[in-house]
Amino acid sequence: MKKYSFLFCLTLLSFITQAQLRFGGMGRPTAPAQTELNYASPQEYEIADIVVSGSKFYDGNSMITLSGLRVGDKIKVPGDAVSSAIKKLMDQGILEEVEVQAAKIEGNKIWLVIHLKERPRLFRIEYNGIRKGEQETLSDKIKTYKGKIITATVKKNIELAIKKHYQEKGFLNVGIKIAERTDTLRGNNATMKIYIKKGDKVKISKIQFDGVSEMKLSTLKRKLKGTKEKKFWRIFTPSKYVPKKFEEDKGKLIEYYNKKGYRDAQILKDSVYKDSDRTVKVIFKIEEGRQYHYRNIFWEGNYIYPDSVLTEILGVKKGDIYNTEDLEKRLNGKPQEDVSSAYMDNGYLYFQCEPVETAVVGDSIDITFRITEGKQATINKVIVNGNTKTSDHVVMREIRTLPGQKFNKSAIIRTVRELSTIGYFNPEKITPNPIPKADGTVDIEYNVEEKPSDQIELSGGWGGYIGFVGTLGVTFNNFSAKNIGNWESWKPLPSGDGQKLSVRFQANGVAYQNYSLSFTEPWLGGKKPNSFSVTLSRNISYPYKIQQYNYLSNPYAYGYGYGYGYGTGTTTSTLTTAQQDSATNAQNNAHFNSTSLSFSLGKRLKWPDDYFSLSNSLSLSLIDIAGLGSSYYGYPEGKSLSIAFVTNLSRNSIDNPTFPRYGSSFSLTASLTPPYSLISGNVNSTLIEYHKWMFDASWFTAITNKLVFHMRTHLGFLGSYNPKKDISVFERFDVGGSGMMTGFAIASRDIIGLRGYKDRILGSQGTVPNGGVAYNKFVMEMRYPVSLNPSATIFLLAFAEGGNNFANYQEYNPFKLYKSAGLGARIFMPAFGMIGIDYGWAFDKVPGVSDFGRQAFTFSIGQQIR
């Protein structure tokens, strides 16, 4: 038998470089061919049989089906049928090579063998040349490629993804080499080994501007936020050339020119020259054009408001610099201050205003505003989506757009603010969606996303003189009292009705304990925003037992010790055993206890605007002091009763309680007890008497989209009705530290933080030993968010603040301040609330105090009011 071997030379598409068509050479006997192949004159054969060789992981019959060849088909050889079959198989992307061989030819019949070489799948990626942390970052970026067939395209995409990652970090010369190793133990899988050579970061040696005469070069360089020159002092915005940021910065340059009235400004050319492997030089060639101004302003299509009213709202005058970005804000910007609000707050949902430049004369522009007022729209339905936990009525009572009312743009924005401040929803995900209807009405849809709002406080720390203090507390911010009897709603407690229940316990053992329980109903009766709160607290402390836990290093420092009751200078060495035991028992029983109960009623006001609220409360406190001596903070021995009426007027327009960007708040609080001494003439009564005034103001404004400036002012004053009676030793002020109220005397003090100084250093233990009767504090902060994720909101801050505490009004001087500055961070987690840590530099010394009263780090838990 003579064996014939024929080679079918096929013309394939350009991208099939590894596919081959061969006949014969299979190492198996073949029948003698009766005719030889003539490439100039193809002949027709009938397929007698088709077999598949080399297919380990794919079904052979499936491969034959995909090829399009069938037993019994008549094909021309050479011809398109075989080349088409190879193309179809290669198009699947799972094969590396395809060969078609003729095993035998007899007469007009042909036996075909399809030989396949399968591509492996990507099982593992190994890196070489980079740190482990970088490997994890890259693995996360290219994890979607794992499990895919390894093709040239996959390799190229992985290489491009890695290059893009490093180029965004300034490594423009990164080198990447990819090797592939088949893992025979894991079937048709392969390991890809990636060799990375990052090289050095490419920095910018110089930024040059050509053609600039109207702008300061330093100003233009500042506008390039991601493209900075190499400077030794540059830390937070290091110099590195990143192509993506470079393109963004070119747009920012033109935006800045446009804001300044240079509407024709353009970058004619930009060039990046390579100085070395580490540096490049950037050159901008700019055509500034001329600066334009407004000339004449015209209005068309306005029937509701005359031209004069719209021009006044617009706030643009003849001669003002022509600024298209500012113009857009004046048309469709801040609620109640732009032109669109004048219409949309009055129901004109379909209002449109198109500014058109109607004339350009020299450096002046005439602009015409073409208005389409449309018809007024009435609200048909209000729909809330996403409140899976909070009851519908809790959401609906905060909504300012009600069915039957005219459409109101400002009311929608105000609703978003109200839904943010109640704290049950992610502020970044509250989205209103007006849905116009064919009948001239509009449905308003509010989409919300629930976030965890309950908080757990479980902490331990050193509470100054009191020693180690453990705290356990839980606050349910969305409690439901009416569902207490419904056991199915206990998850872990009934929730959804917007009430607040808080329980807190703090102790360091038998020496100090504090318990508190509070409940708040924000909508008493369910129809009006009239809040009701009740709070019960109990404070128990035994200072001499606290002494055993390092309360005092010197038992005589405050005029008491084991010699108390036996005369000054008496020591334990001069006492009998019985006297020592009696003194010890007296000290162990010496205590500072207090019990407080308060009731509060509050309501929202509509005048001067509906951001105002007024609350009134009645507070009762019974304080029991025994065995401590008159020198103990000046507190009187025995029981004292305080009955105070507290009224608070406040206004709050802050947009977001966690990370505010704009808005303000202020609070004026007056705490008044009856003037017992004026009524009875008794200045030594056990009834606590005082009047107390507190003022707190806070203001936020966004410098950029993320950078926020925050300013605060806090003032406090304590006074007496009767000039013959000393100002009460209760309700005084302590200043310094984190402002956390940890201590046995907190029931009778206001604790004000002052970062950079020790806790309460300007008060109970520092320059004002018995506490101040007046204080002031001023704060400035710059805040920048790292993450606005509701599960962990993180922002950084830089602060400068000053404050002081005064023992009497003769010493009061609002300009005499203990000053500090520093850096800090805040982390808000729904389960724990706001956690803060600050590092402060104190600029002033506190006289007579160790370390001059300075303390670099301060730690805080919760939203600090002052």
Side-chain angles (χ1 to χ4, degrees):
M1 300 290 291
K2 184 180 178 180
K3 179 178 179 182
Y4 294 89
S5 297
F6 304 97
L7 177 63
F8 291 168
C9 298
L10 305 175
T11 303
L12 302 179
L13 297 178
S14 59
F15 64 88
I16 308 176
T17 58
Q18 294 179 310
Q20 300 179 37
L21 173 62
R22 297 186 303 173
F23 283 84
M26 290 295 293
R28 53 186 285 184
T30 61
Q34 295 180 1
T35 59
E36 294 185 0
L37 293 175
N38 185 348
Y39 294 102
S41 178
Q43 296 187 26
E44 187 175 75
Y45 295 93
E46 180 183 340
I47 301 176
D49 189 22
I50 305 174
V51 296
V52 175
S53 173
S55 180
K56 299 178 181 179
F57 303 99
Y58 301 108
D59 180 62
N61 292 329
S62 298
M63 295 295 102
I64 294 173
T65 301
L66 291 172
S67 73
L69 300 174
R70 304 286 186 275
V71 174
D73 287 351
K74 292 182 178 181
I75 62 174
K76 285 187 177 182
V77 180
D80 294 336
V82 175
S83 61
S84 175
I86 294 174
K87 182 179 183 302
K88 289 178 181 179
L89 290 172
M90 291 296 293
D91 284 347
Q92 303 304 312
I94 60 177
L95 302 173
E96 186 173 344
E97 294 181 3
V98 177
E99 294 179 342
V100 177
Q101 297 177 330
K104 182 171 62 174
I105 296 177
E106 291 183 355
N108 66 340
K109 292 190 177 182
I110 188 169
W111 281 257
L112 298 178
V113 176
I114 302 175
H115 183 73
L116 309 176
K117 184 178 180 182
E118 299 170 343
R119 293 184 185 275
R121 291 184 180 273
L122 180 57
F123 174 72
R124 180 191 295 119
I125 299 175
E126 295 178 355
Y127 300 94
N128 186 277
I130 58 175
R131 298 190 303 270
K132 184 177 180 181
E134 295 178 84
Q135 295 179 19
E136 294 173 353
T137 302
L138 287 178
S139 295
D140 187 61
K141 287 183 176 293
I142 61 177
K143 62 183 178 182
T144 56
Y145 292 101
K146 284 191 176 181
K148 289 188 175 182
I149 303 296
I150 299 177
T151 64
T153 302
V154 168
K155 290 181 180 179
K156 191 63 177 178
N157 288 342
I158 290 176
E159 180 181 348
L160 291 175
I162 295 173
K163 279 188 175 181
K164 181 181 178 182
H165 169 74
Y166 280 106
Q167 286 174 352
E168 288 177 353
K169 295 181 177 296
F171 296 95
L172 297 186
N173 301 318
V174 59
I176 300 171
K177 185 178 179 181
I178 298 178
E180 179 186 330
R181 183 180 71 248
T182 303
D183 192 341
T184 56
L185 297 178
R186 290 185 171 86
N188 193 32
N189 290 324
T191 297
M192 183 180 289
K193 195 156 188 177
I194 303 176
Y195 298 86
I196 299 174
K197 186 177 181 181
K198 295 190 301 182
D200 296 317
K201 283 187 178 181
V202 176
K203 300 182 181 296
I204 301 171
S205 60
K206 185 178 181 180
I207 299 176
Q208 178 178 321
F209 294 94
D210 294 336
V212 174
S213 60
E214 301 297 328
M215 298 289 183
K216 290 183 178 180
L217 298 182
S218 59
T219 300
L220 294 181
K221 289 180 180 180
R222 285 198 298 270
K223 298 304 173 183
L224 303 174
K225 301 299 183 183
T227 308
K228 299 292 186 182
E229 280 183 336
K230 181 181 178 183
K231 300 292 183 182
F232 73 92
W233 43 262
R234 200 177 295 284
I235 299 175
F236 297 106
T237 54
S239 170
K240 57 184 178 181
Y241 177 74
V242 179
K244 181 180 178 181
K245 290 186 179 294
F246 179 67
E247 293 299 321
E248 293 174 355
D249 285 339
K250 288 195 297 183
K252 291 175 182 176
L253 272 181
I254 298 303
E255 286 177 7
Y256 178 70
Y257 267 101
N258 293 158
K259 288 179 182 179
K260 295 299 181 180
Y262 296 89
R263 63 190 284 273
D264 300 329
Q266 58 180 318
I267 299 175
L268 297 178
K269 183 181 178 181
D270 62 86
S271 305
V272 180
Y273 296 98
K274 184 177 180 181
D275 284 345
S276 66
D277 289 339
R278 297 185 179 184
T279 59
V280 295
K281 179 181 178 182
V282 177
I283 300 178
F284 294 98
K285 186 176 182 180
I286 295 177
E287 183 179 292
E288 295 179 316
R290 62 173 62 189
Q291 187 180 48
Y292 290 89
H293 300 79
Y294 290 101
R295 191 175 70 164
N296 297 315
I297 297 175
F298 305 100
W299 300 88
E300 292 180 359
N302 53 306
Y303 301 99
I304 305 300
Y305 298 104
D307 293 0
S308 58
V309 172
L310 294 178
T311 301
E312 183 179 354
I313 295 173
L314 184 68
V316 172
K317 298 178 182 178
K318 185 175 182 179
D320 287 350
I321 293 175
Y322 184 71
N323 184 339
T324 55
E325 181 179 330
D326 176 69
L327 184 63
E328 176 61 26
K329 291 180 179 179
R330 293 174 183 272
L331 292 174
N332 303 289
K334 194 172 182 180
Q336 299 180 333
E337 296 182 9
D338 60 342
V339 175
S340 68
S341 294
Y343 281 92
M344 290 191 173
D345 288 354
N346 198 23
Y348 292 92
L349 169 63
Y350 307 101
F351 163 82
Q352 292 181 352
C353 181
E354 181 185 3
V356 179
E357 297 176 4
T358 51
V360 179
V361 181
D363 64 350
S364 299
I365 295 177
D366 291 349
I367 188 166
T368 299
F369 297 97
R370 294 174 180 171
I371 290 178
T372 302
E373 294 177 334
K375 296 181 179 180
Q376 286 180 305
T378 302
I379 299 173
N380 179 42
K381 290 190 300 184
V382 176
I383 306 164
V384 180
N385 299 320
N387 56 317
T388 55
K389 178 180 178 180
T390 305
S391 301
D392 286 345
H393 74 273
V394 174
V395 183
M396 294 301 296
R397 69 193 185 191
E398 302 295 340
I399 289 177
R400 302 299 180 95
T401 54
L402 302 178
Q405 294 179 345
K406 297 296 183 183
F407 176 84
N408 190 308
K409 171 187 170 183
S410 296
I412 292 177
I413 296 174
R414 179 65 185 276
T415 297
V416 173
R417 184 258 177 194
E418 297 300 327
L419 293 178
S420 299
T421 55
I422 60 177
Y424 309 145
F425 309 115
N426 179 1
E428 305 296 323
K429 295 294 181 68
I430 301 174
T431 54
N433 180 30
I435 306 173
K437 313 294 287 187
D439 59 0
T441 63
V442 58
D443 292 346
I444 301 180
E445 184 179 69
Y446 293 95
N447 298 300
V448 300
E449 180 184 280
E450 294 269 8
K451 72 171 186 177
S453 57
D454 298 332
Q455 298 175 356
I456 298 174
E457 182 181 359
L458 180 60
S459 63
W462 193 262
Y465 289 150
I466 200 171
F468 180 82
V469 178
T471 303
L472 174 63
V474 60
T475 300
F476 298 93
N477 288 303
N478 199 358
F479 183 67
S480 176
K482 72 177 183 180
N483 287 320
I484 290 179
N486 181 8
W487 295 107
E488 295 181 356
S489 65
W490 285 67
K491 298 176 183 179
L493 284 180
S495 61
D497 282 341
Q499 298 159 343
K500 181 178 179 179
L501 178 66
S502 180
V503 181
R504 191 171 186 267
F505 170 68
Q506 189 178 61
N508 78 335
V510 296
Y512 168 72
Q513 298 174 21
N514 177 268
Y515 310 86
S516 65
L517 172 68
S518 66
F519 172 81
T520 300
E521 167 56 75
W523 283 66
L524 185 63
K527 295 183 179 180
K528 293 184 179 181
N530 298 327
S531 63
F532 171 75
S533 300
V534 58
T535 301
L536 176 64
S537 64
R538 172 70 171 164
N539 189 80
I540 302 171
S541 61
Y542 294 90
Y544 289 104
K545 291 182 180 180
I546 294 174
Q547 178 182 334
Q548 301 172 15
Y549 299 95
N550 295 327
Y551 174 20
L552 287 178
S553 59
N554 179 0
Y556 307 102
Y558 282 81
Y560 55 83
Y562 287 102
Y564 171 72
Y566 295 92
T568 303
T570 305
T571 63
T572 55
S573 60
T574 62
L575 301 178
T576 65
T577 301
Q579 289 174 327
Q580 292 182 24
D581 291 341
S582 176
T584 300
N585 290 333
Q587 290 171 345
N588 287 336
N589 291 324
H591 58 264
F592 183 107
N593 299 338
S594 65
T595 304
S596 300
L597 177 65
S598 66
F599 301 91
S600 177
L601 282 172
K603 65 178 298 183
R604 295 181 190 173
L605 303 179
K606 296 183 179 180
W607 186 90
D609 60 39
D610 58 1
Y611 287 109
F612 279 85
S613 62
L614 177 68
S615 68
N616 298 298
S617 63
L618 181 65
S619 175
L620 298 91
S621 297
L622 178 63
I623 300 175
D624 182 13
I625 302 173
L628 299 180
S630 59
S631 61
Y632 180 77
Y633 291 100
Y635 292 134
E637 290 281 309
K639 295 182 179 180
S640 301
L641 177 64
S642 173
I643 303 175
F645 172 75
V646 182
T647 184
N648 173 269
L649 177 66
S650 63
R651 185 184 187 274
N652 188 340
S653 62
I654 290 174
D655 66 315
N656 186 328
T658 306
F659 185 77
R661 289 185 175 90
Y662 64 87
S664 62
S665 68
F666 83 84
S667 173
L668 178 62
T669 304
S671 302
L672 311 170
T673 66
Y676 304 111
S677 63
L678 293 179
I679 298 173
S680 65
N682 182 7
V683 297
N684 297 314
S685 172
T686 58
L687 295 172
I688 299 175
E689 176 185 328
Y690 62 87
H691 57 89
K692 186 176 183 179
W693 307 84
M694 305 285 284
F695 177 77
D696 303 285
S698 188
W699 179 68
F700 296 87
T701 186
I703 305 300
T704 65
N705 186 38
K706 289 187 175 181
L707 188 64
V708 176
F709 176 68
H710 175 211
M711 184 168 63
R712 288 185 284 140
T713 298
H714 306 281
L715 306 172
F717 304 95
L718 182 68
S720 174
Y721 299 105
N722 193 333
K724 298 179 181 180
K725 182 177 175 61
D726 293 334
I727 297 177
S728 173
V729 294
F730 299 101
E731 300 297 327
R732 294 197 175 200
F733 309 109
D734 288 342
V735 179
S738 65
M740 293 182 64
M741 297 197 301
T742 301
F744 51 84
I746 62 172
S748 63
R749 292 293 178 99
D750 275 294
I751 314 299
I752 293 91
L754 189 61
R755 291 167 286 190
Y757 296 90
K758 291 183 176 180
D759 283 343
R760 305 171 67 187
I761 197 66
L762 306 177
S764 62
Q765 53 184 304
T767 56
V768 191
N770 290 333
V773 299
Y775 90 93
N776 47 244
K777 175 183 173 183
F778 309 98
V779 183
M780 291 189 297
E781 289 182 348
M782 295 295 291
R783 298 181 171 191
Y784 186 86
V786 176
S787 168
L788 294 178
N789 190 320
S791 61
T793 301
I794 305 171
F795 63 88
L796 307 177
L797 59 89
F799 68 87
E801 63 185 22
N804 204 348
N805 199 17
F806 303 92
N808 54 68
Y809 287 102
Q810 288 74 30
E811 298 177 0
Y812 180 73
N813 182 353
F815 303 104
K816 183 181 179 182
L817 303 173
Y818 287 90
K819 300 173 290 296
S820 66
L823 303 172
R826 297 292 182 273
I827 302 175
F828 178 84
M829 293 184 289
F832 299 98
M834 188 71 77
I835 300 173
I837 184 168
D838 298 281
Y839 184 91
W841 291 270
F843 299 137
D844 302 291
K845 301 176 182 178
V846 180
V849 182
S850 62
D851 300 326
F852 304 109
R854 294 169 175 168
Q855 177 176 294
F857 284 100
T858 52
F859 178 78
S860 62
I861 299 177
Q863 292 275 20
Q864 300 299 304
I865 299 175
R866 302 181 179 94

